[in-house]
């Protein structure tokens, strides 16, 4: 199917208030440009090196989201391009993003990534870690980050009840944090959950941002630009 048709069909499935992050990892610039010409302006990348190679040559109107595991030594390189980091999975990472943002004179929007899957390998905070962080004096000193919500990835499984439970859990975590730490902050309102295979369940469980790659672009390509 034609890329514009795919994007249009996908968008008609999304309720108002749910944004579509087109995950363009491994896709070459010309494919991203084509998606832009179809009206898609938000793209997600999961590798710092790939993002900094691709972003400079692509239209400035693109809103880049960083969705992968972020190493501290890559923060400085990606900050000029990113408008939202979905994958804050430790306090030290958040502090480092704050520090680098301050050096650039900018404020960076971030989501807290939670470990909601049963798989051991997925990155993310748990509620105890997030609570300890958000109530610490060191957190209150951060001036150059805005936390805008939460992100999570469900277990890779066919069992839809497992996936639904994990997304439901993320929504519960969001509600808890909203009530206890962000009740005065309107900007804390995003729940980033749902990928190609599970975005419909995620939407039913209250997602506000779906991150979709394969269902838009087809299978990811082997040779990523810059890896
Ligand atoms: C690759 C990726 C996606 C998109 O996955 P698809 O199954 O291709 O839609 C979403 N989120 C993250 C963090 C990813 O790395």
């Amino acid at each position: 199917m034609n890329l514009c048709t795919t994007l249009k069909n996908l968008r008609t499935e999304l309720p108002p208030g749910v944004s579509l992050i087109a995950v363009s990892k491994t896709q070459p610039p010309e494919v991203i440009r084509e998606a832009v010409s179809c009206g898609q302006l938000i793209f997600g990348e999961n590798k710092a090196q790939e993002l900094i190679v691709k972003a400079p040559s692509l239209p400035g109107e693109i809103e880049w989201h960083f969705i992968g595991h972020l190493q501290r030594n890559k923060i400085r390189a990606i900050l000029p391009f990113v408008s939202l980091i979905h994958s804050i999975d430790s306090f030290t990472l958040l502090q480092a993003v704050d520090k680098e943002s301050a050096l650039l004179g900018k404020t960076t929007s971030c989501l807290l990534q939670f470990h909601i899957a049963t798989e051991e390998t997925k990155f993310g905070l748990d509620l105890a870690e997030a609570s300890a962080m958000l109530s610490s004096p060191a957190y209150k000193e951060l001036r150059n980050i805005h936390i805008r919500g939460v992100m999570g990835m469900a277990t890779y499984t066919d069992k839809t009840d497992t996936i639904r439970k994990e997304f439901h859990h993320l929504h519960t975590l969001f509600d808890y944090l909203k009530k206890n730490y962000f009740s005065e902050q309107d900007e804390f309102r995003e729940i980033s959950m749902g990928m190609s295979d599970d975005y419909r369940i995620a939407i039913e469980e209250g997602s506000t941002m779906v991150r979709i790659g394969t269902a838009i672009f087809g299978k990811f390509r082997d040779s990523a630009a810059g890896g």
Side-chain angles (χ1 to χ4, degrees):
M1 205 191 305
N2 163 295
L3 185 57
C4 286
T5 313
T6 307
L7 281 164
K8 190 167 151 244
N9 292 347
L10 200 46
R11 279 206 214 93
T12 37
E13 273 191 69
L14 306 182
V18 178
S19 19
L20 174 61
I21 319 304
V23 176
S24 52
K25 63 188 187 197
T26 78
Q27 299 300 328
E30 59 271 22
V31 172
I32 299 174
R33 234 176 250 120
E34 191 189 341
V36 171
S37 76
C38 316
Q40 179 64 32
L41 290 178
I42 311 177
F43 293 88
E45 290 282 342
N46 72 333
K47 291 203 170 98
Q49 188 55 31
E50 189 177 341
L51 173 68
I52 63 179
V53 168
K54 277 153 66 168
S57 68
L58 285 160
E61 61 190 326
I62 291 179
E63 199 182 289
W64 294 102
H65 290 198
F66 193 80
I67 62 173
H69 182 61
L70 180 57
Q71 290 166 297
R72 266 184 284 167
N73 62 0
K74 299 284 168 59
I75 297 170
R76 187 170 299 180
I78 69 160
L79 277 190
F81 304 109
V82 291
S83 55
L84 181 64
I85 299 174
H86 288 231
S87 42
I88 298 295
D89 57 7
S90 73
F91 189 25
T92 48
L93 181 63
L94 187 67
Q95 285 176 305
V97 170
D98 180 76
K99 191 174 155 207
E100 293 294 339
S101 301
L103 291 174
L104 284 176
K106 69 179 274 187
T107 302
T108 303
S109 290
C110 300
L111 304 180
L112 301 179
Q113 179 172 0
F114 280 89
H115 184 278
I116 55 169
T118 48
E119 291 149 311
E120 285 291 325
T121 54
K122 297 262 160 74
F123 293 102
L125 300 157
D126 62 27
L127 181 57
E129 288 166 337
S131 297
M133 170 176 109
L134 295 170
S135 43
S136 72
Y139 169 74
K140 289 174 186 122
E141 280 168 20
L142 305 182
R143 291 287 169 271
N144 293 78
I145 49 99
H146 276 153
I147 297 187
R148 296 187 42 207
V150 300
M151 180 270 218
M153 288 164 89
T155 302
Y156 187 71
T157 174
D158 289 340
K159 294 188 187 127
T160 55
D161 55 331
T162 302
I163 296 169
R164 186 178 297 282
K165 242 183 252 159
E166 292 170 358
F167 286 152
H168 184 83
H169 178 52
L170 185 61
H171 197 159
T172 310
L173 291 170
F174 171 85
D175 289 342
Y176 179 88
L177 297 179
K178 178 80 191 167
K179 179 163 174 262
N180 289 283
Y181 301 102
F182 297 99
S183 56
E184 312 278 284
Q185 274 127 289
D186 276 351
E187 62 182 21
F188 187 86
R189 56 163 178 253
E190 305 294 351
I191 305 179
S192 167
M193 60 185 186
M195 303 172 29
S196 293
D197 290 336
D198 56 21
Y199 70 88
R200 293 187 181 91
I201 304 173
I203 289 168
E204 285 167 11
E205 295 302 327
S207 172
T208 68
M209 286 183 171
V210 289
R211 309 177 310 271
I212 300 182
T214 316
I216 297 173
F217 299 110
K219 279 196 70 125
F220 293 114
R221 304 184 181 212
D222 293 332
S223 55

